[in-house]
């Protein structure tokens, strides 16, 4: 039995990895926008894998606000919650409350059930860049990156890549810097996020969700980060709608 357990896991894991070496969409980051994008892409029959450096995907959604584990969404995002089977209740006006642990686990469950492959404990350390196009990811074990060990990575090729890394926009930053190219952002580079403005940020998150370089799309807080738009705090409608928008753009393109 000991051998069987190990064999089952090793064989299946490497089949999953092998099957994800050349895909339609590779997503960097398993926060709410990345998970929603993974769900809609998988549902549309696209081959999609999401790479998350932490043990648990979910990004900034688990913790609610200041570890009070509730989040707020607006009415516009309710169709996405209904589609994913997330429970919510009206607080007042246009503010709906969701238990953040329920919401985060529901997003992970929906994405994986739809057929998206999630690889946790992977850090994306670079992209594959050929012929002025982003066409894949350079991946490594997260502990290898964290320890600064000198271990070479592996590569994933993908028709499209989504940067959903949140506030840091590390993929867009490295694409612009390493390859000396201009991005499709306000100043051709990563502007960095502005201070908090809930209503403005929720609007611009959707507007800034787009292809910022051939093959490279940006969603969620990273979309605002690259374009110099504000942060928004513990309101998540924009994140969910950004995930849906980026999936829709890619489905139209592929
Ligand atoms: O930050 P995050 O939750 O991304 P998001 O979808 O949502 C933002 C909100 O949580 C919140 C907010 C909304 O009101 O402002 O901040 O934009 O999740 C990003 C995920 O990407 C992972 C990181 O661990 C996190 O789970 N990540 C970041 N860089 C890498 C990465 C990387 N290089 N490789 C793999 N994963």
């Amino acid at each position: 039995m000991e051998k069987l357990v190990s064999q089952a896991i090793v064989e299946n894991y490497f089949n999953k990895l092998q099957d994800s070496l050349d895909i339609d969409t590779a997503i960097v980051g398993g926060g709410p926008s990345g998970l929603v994008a993974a769900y809609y892409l998988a549902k549309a029959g696209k081959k999609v894998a999401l790479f998350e450096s932490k043990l648990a995907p979910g990004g900034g959604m688990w913790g609610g606000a200041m570890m009070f584990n509730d989040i707020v969404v607006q009415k516009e995002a309710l169709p996405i919650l209904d589609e994913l089977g997330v429970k919510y209740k009206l607080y007042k006006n246009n503010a709906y409350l969701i238990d953040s642990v329920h919401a985060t686990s529901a997003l992970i469950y929906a994405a994986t059930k739809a057929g998206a492959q999630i690889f946790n404990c992977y850090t994306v350390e670079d992209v594959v860049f050929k012929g002025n196009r982003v066409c894949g990811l350079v991946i490594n074990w997260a502990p290898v990156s964290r320890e600064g060990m000198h271990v070479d990575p592996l590569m994933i090729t993908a028709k499209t890549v989504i940067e959903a890394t949140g506030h840091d926009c590390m993929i867009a930053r490295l694409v612009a810097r390493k390859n000396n190219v201009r991005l499709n952002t306000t100043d051709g580079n990563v502007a960095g996020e502005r201070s908090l403005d809930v209503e403005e940020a929720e609007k611009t998150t959707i507007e800034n969700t787009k292809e910022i370089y051939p093959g490279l799309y940006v969603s969620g807080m990273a979309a605002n980060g690259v374009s110099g738009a504000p942060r928004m705090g513990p309101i998540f409608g924009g994140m969910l709608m950004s995930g849906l928008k980026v999936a829709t753009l890619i489905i139209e393109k592929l």
Side-chain angles (χ1 to χ4, degrees):
M1 196 59 191
E2 283 77 6
K3 184 176 169 190
L4 196 67
V5 170
S6 300
Q7 255 178 348
I9 291 169
V10 170
E11 201 179 301
N12 194 59
Y13 183 83
F14 283 98
N15 283 341
K16 289 192 293 193
L17 187 55
Q18 178 86 28
D19 198 44
S20 299
L21 292 182
D22 185 33
I23 54 181
D24 291 318
T25 306
I27 302 175
V28 190
S33 70
L35 288 168
V36 170
Y39 168 80
Y40 282 106
L41 285 161
K43 189 184 169 210
K46 304 300 171 203
K47 209 166 172 188
V48 51
L50 182 155
F51 299 87
E52 166 55 53
S53 61
K54 302 258 168 65
L55 181 57
M61 209 177 190
W62 293 110
M66 234 181 83
M67 294 197 272
F68 307 161
N69 63 2
D70 284 313
I71 56 172
V72 171
V73 299
Q74 320 83 312
K75 189 158 92 227
E76 296 73 24
L78 299 187
I80 300 175
L81 298 175
D82 291 335
E83 163 94 12
L84 302 183
V86 180
K87 289 189 294 182
Y88 52 83
K89 64 180 179 199
L90 178 62
Y91 178 60
K92 271 181 200 165
N93 301 332
N94 192 17
Y96 291 77
L97 270 169
I98 320 178
D99 178 289
S100 68
V101 174
H102 166 67
T104 313
S105 52
L107 261 49
I108 298 168
Y109 178 67
T112 49
K113 190 159 180 246
Q117 187 63 63
I118 296 184
F119 291 98
N120 54 341
C121 306
Y122 278 55
T123 288
V124 176
E125 55 176 57
D126 203 343
V127 298
V128 182
F129 190 88
K130 289 161 88 82
N132 284 321
R133 189 176 173 82
V134 172
C135 45
L137 300 181
V138 177
I139 54 168
N140 215 325
W141 293 119
V144 164
S145 306
R146 207 170 43 235
E147 290 297 314
M149 291 164 75
H150 191 166
V151 179
D152 267 315
L154 282 172
M155 291 74 66
I156 303 288
T157 54
K159 294 191 184 87
T160 50
V161 165
I162 302 174
E163 147 128 56
T165 61
H167 295 263
D168 290 343
C169 329
M170 64 83 69
I171 300 294
R173 273 183 213 285
L174 73 82
V175 166
R177 175 176 50 83
K178 284 193 172 185
N179 306 293
N180 197 24
V181 294
R182 284 182 67 79
L183 306 174
N184 175 24
T185 59
T186 21
D187 64 355
N189 217 314
V190 174
E193 74 184 28
R194 291 198 349 245
S195 294
L196 188 145
D197 177 342
V198 169
E199 274 151 335
E200 174 71 6
E202 285 292 283
K203 185 167 64 69
T204 55
T205 304
I206 321 294
E207 289 165 8
N208 292 325
T209 297
K210 60 185 178 182
E211 190 174 23
I212 55 165
Y213 194 76
L216 178 63
Y217 292 73
V218 69
S219 74
M221 194 54 224
N224 272 356
V226 295
S227 290
R231 61 183 301 193
M232 74 291 292
I235 180 159
F236 280 76
M239 295 299 130
L240 307 177
M241 291 187 277
S242 169
L244 171 57
K245 180 177 174 186
V246 76
T248 307
L249 291 174
I250 289 174
I251 291 163
E252 279 165 6
K253 189 76 167 262
L254 284 177

